[in-house]
Amino acid sequence: MDKLRLDTLESWLWDSANILRGSIDSSDFKNYIFGLLFLKRANDVFEEEVEAIMEQEGISREDAEDETYFYIPQEARWDEIKKHTENIGIALDKAFAAIERENTSLEGVLTATKFGDTEKLSDEVLQRLLRHFNQYSLRSADLYKPDILGDAYEYLIQQFADDAGKKGGEFYTPRGVVKLIVELIKPQPKNRVYDPTCGSGGMLIESARYVAEQPDGKVGKNINISLYGQEKNLGTWAIGKLNMILHNFMDADLRKGDTLTDPKHKDENGELLLFDRVIANPPFSQGEWWGPAESSIEVKLDKNGKEKKLTPKYDKEVVDKWGRFQFGIPPRGYADLAFLQHMIAVLRQDGRAGVVLPHGTLFRSGAEGKIREKLLKADLVEGIVGLPAALFYNTGIPASVWIINKNKPAHLKNKVLIVDASGEYKEGKNQNELLEAHIEKIVSAYDAQGDADKFMRVVQLEEIKENDYNLNISRYIDTSEPEPEVDLALVQENIRELEEREQEIDEKLATFLNELGI
């Protein structure tokens, strides 16, 4: 039998979405399809492993099942589920709960999606889905390459981000943006890499891909990297966990929860863990970001006796026991620099961070302006890369990449690398795209760390200070084209020639009119 190739796998998985159309909202397709994909893959690998153990050790099937790395209980076996003709959704929910019970690292991942809601999914639709997923074997021996499922999974994540429109930005950062940031911060073998808003885990997986290409990037079949992440949205966290497993990162440490109010990665003393590389695309300009302040809003009566909620004063009410906001408390309406300060707090002294933030963080005044000034004075900002507009699913506004370095080399002290990459994109119908050529141009210029006309400058902190610590890129890189010089003498000569020509035409016209008797 031919091995399953990526294009076949992609179209097969996308066809499963067509079975669901009309039953559930398209933004929810991914949760159901990813769950079934995982269940089929887990079953096929389990069977493959059991057969291999039986053959190698000459033991019974029952004994071999007890020696598998990833155990599938009886009620979660694919052949068992296929027997059901009614209440199929309930059987699937029980199967996923049983797998979580046997494999505690998956607790809350598979049961995040409920298949048993018959108002959403009828037995007929679920039967069609099971028959569809039964078409191909997902055993490792039947796949074109071991991590092909991870690639297909990423394809689906992107397709569902397209399908979900604005919601897509909550769980997916376009691949070009991810690759750009990874190549700018350059994770290394043995690094601990962390994403505080990890979504479906794309930035972590791209970091691992980058490390795999480096000398000593692999130890045997395993990539020499440790991956950590946190995600607030339960459904998105579950997708991220499955994404890691399908890419063979079983040990990736993805936690669920609000990173700003409840960071999960701590050591035995309760101190925040530190990382070699931190990478993120936080939600742009998230408002009301400090949960404790929002959950205890005071209400008072106005002069007319009506209740009025008092707006929390974040500069007084935000108290962080981990001391992350050393450079100032961001305003209630913009969490951007709260995420940035969290990333700085968990970065090792020789670490680097890369984060996508909206352009407003470069120039907004008030509390954000003061934070930006302190960050620059502390010489933490290594570089700013201005991105094109319309790259992201959840907004059309342009964004920028901030590169943070706690230990700048001597030649970059008190300097900031500023790149205007706003023109580097392929125009799309709904969304622009960063291609490999654009990424290569940006990274090459950034790594060269020298001036490039109308594209990049190495800007002294003194100049930034003269601009009141405003980092608006147009203040430092002039991309306008000079007006052409006008030769007045030549213009006058041209006018004189045109006037003479006009007089000749008038004389000829008068002659023709006379001949016609007009």
Side-chain angles (χ1 to χ4, degrees), residues 232 258-263 286-297 312 314 317-322 324-325 329-332 335 338:
K232 185 177 180 179
D258 186 333
T259 300
L260 293 180
T261 56
D262 186 20
Q286 178 185 318
E288 302 175 10
W289 52 270
W290 191 254
E294 299 301 330
S295 62
S296 57
I297 292 178
Y314 269 43
E317 295 191 33
V318 176
V319 179
D320 179 50
K321 64 181 179 181
W322 292 282
R324 291 170 294 173
F325 307 131
I329 306 296
R332 185 185 186 217

Side-chain angles (χ1 to χ4, degrees), residues 186-470:
K186 297 177 173 45
Q188 298 299 305
K190 299 183 181 178
N191 273 179
R192 295 206 299 195
V193 180
Y194 166 70
D195 183 342
T197 57
C198 65
S200 51
M203 287 187 158
L204 295 173
I205 287 166
E206 189 60 42
S207 297
R209 277 203 188 99
Y210 182 89
V211 166
E213 298 300 316
Q214 310 306 313
D216 301 320
K218 283 190 170 184
V219 179
K221 291 183 178 179
N222 297 319
I223 299 175
N224 197 3
I225 193 171
S226 301
L227 302 178
Y228 302 79
Q230 185 165 337
E231 172 55 42
K232 185 177 180 179
N233 181 287
L234 176 63
T236 305
W237 166 79
I239 291 170
K241 288 279 282 188
L242 293 180
N243 200 10
M244 292 296 153
I245 291 167
L246 290 172
H247 276 92
N248 300 320
F249 294 114
M250 295 290 290
D251 297 328
D253 184 356
L254 268 55
R255 311 276 182 94
K256 56 180 181 285
D258 186 333
T259 300
L260 293 180
T261 56
D262 186 20
K264 296 292 187 182
H265 293 91
K266 300 185 282 284
D267 63 20
E268 59 275 8
N269 298 317
E271 299 294 324
L272 294 177
L273 279 183
L274 299 181
F275 303 94
D276 303 287
R277 296 290 185 273
V278 183
I279 184 169
N281 174 20
F284 284 2
S285 301
Q286 178 185 318
E288 302 175 10
W289 52 270
W290 191 254
E294 299 301 330
S295 62
S296 57
I297 292 178
E298 288 185 48
V299 178
K300 73 171 188 177
L301 298 177
D302 63 16
K303 60 183 180 182
N304 298 317
K306 289 186 177 180
E307 287 189 351
K308 181 183 177 183
K309 290 183 178 179
L310 297 179
T311 303
K313 290 182 167 51
Y314 269 43
D315 57 339
K316 293 184 174 62
E317 295 191 33
V318 176
V319 179
D320 179 50
K321 64 181 179 181
W322 292 282
R324 291 170 294 173
F325 307 131
Q326 295 181 15
F327 301 95
I329 306 296
R332 185 185 186 217
Y334 301 102
D336 308 303
L337 296 184
F339 282 112
L340 181 62
Q341 289 188 82
H342 168 78
M343 293 171 71
I344 291 169
V346 298
L347 193 62
R348 286 187 190 278
Q349 201 53 43
D350 59 350
R352 298 177 83 212
V355 57
V356 185
L357 296 175
H359 252 22
T361 55
L362 300 176
F363 53 79
R364 286 194 294 245
S365 56
E368 288 183 298
K370 291 173 183 173
I371 294 169
R372 188 173 56 248
E373 178 180 339
K374 289 177 182 176
L375 290 170
L376 287 161
K377 283 181 174 177
D379 208 15
L380 290 169
V381 183
E382 178 187 287
I384 300 289
V385 179
L387 296 176
L391 283 180
F392 298 89
Y393 288 96
N394 51 349
T395 178
I397 65 170
S400 53
V401 177
W402 290 59
I403 303 297
I404 300 295
N405 189 341
K406 283 190 170 180
N407 188 26
K408 286 188 189 179
H411 67 282
L412 289 182
K413 298 280 188 190
N414 295 310
K415 295 171 187 170
V416 178
L417 306 175
I418 297 182
V419 181
D420 183 354
S422 57
E424 300 302 313
Y425 64 92
K426 176 191 173 187
E427 192 168 354
K429 184 180 177 184
N430 299 317
Q431 191 178 354
N432 294 328
E433 187 180 359
L434 272 181
L435 300 181
E436 196 63 48
H438 304 129
I439 296 168
E440 190 176 329
K441 179 180 176 181
I442 296 165
V443 174
S444 295
Y446 191 93
D447 289 350
Q449 299 178 355
D451 292 351
D453 188 41
K454 298 185 185 302
F455 190 66
M456 174 170 163
R457 276 191 63 209
V458 181
V459 181
Q460 298 282 346
L461 192 58
E462 194 59 37
E463 182 180 346
I464 296 172
K465 180 182 177 182
E466 289 169 7
N467 279 305
D468 295 324
Y469 297 97
N470 185 319

Side-chain angles (χ1 to χ4, degrees), residues 57-199:
E57 300 184 20
I59 58 177
S60 68
R61 178 181 176 87
E62 189 177 355
D63 290 339
E65 285 181 0
D66 291 336
E67 291 190 22
T68 55
Y69 178 73
F70 191 88
Y71 182 73
I72 303 292
Q74 192 63 39
E75 63 264 50
R77 305 273 170 93
W78 190 256
D79 287 340
E80 195 69 31
I81 292 165
K82 282 194 302 178
K83 292 177 185 175
H84 291 270
T85 55
E86 55 184 30
N87 297 323
I88 298 170
I90 293 171
L92 284 167
D93 287 342
K94 287 179 178 177
F96 288 127
I99 291 174
E100 286 188 10
R101 191 171 61 245
E102 294 290 340
N103 303 278
T104 53
S105 65
L106 287 176
E107 187 178 344
V109 175
L110 302 170
T111 50
T113 301
K114 303 300 180 190
F115 284 79
D117 186 346
T118 52
E119 289 186 12
K120 284 186 176 179
L121 290 172
S122 66
D123 282 328
E124 182 191 1
V125 169
L126 286 171
Q127 266 191 326
R128 285 179 63 200
L129 269 179
L130 290 176
R131 281 198 301 269
H132 184 75
F133 272 90
N134 203 46
Q135 279 181 273
Y136 293 104
S137 165
L138 297 179
R139 292 178 176 222
S140 296
D142 295 327
L143 301 178
Y144 174 61
K145 59 174 186 166
D147 63 351
I148 189 176
L149 267 179
D151 293 344
Y153 196 80
E154 281 186 54
Y155 158 82
L156 274 181
I157 289 171
Q158 180 176 356
Q159 295 304 313
F160 287 129
D162 285 335
D163 216 41
K166 187 175 180 180
K167 284 187 178 179
E170 294 174 7
F171 61 87
Y172 180 77
T173 302
R175 181 80 182 274
V177 177
V178 177
K179 270 185 70 85
L180 173 65
I181 302 174
V182 169
E183 291 187 26
L184 287 170
I185 65 170
K186 297 177 173 45
Q188 298 299 305
K190 299 183 181 178
N191 273 179
R192 295 206 299 195
V193 180
Y194 166 70
D195 183 342
T197 57
C198 65

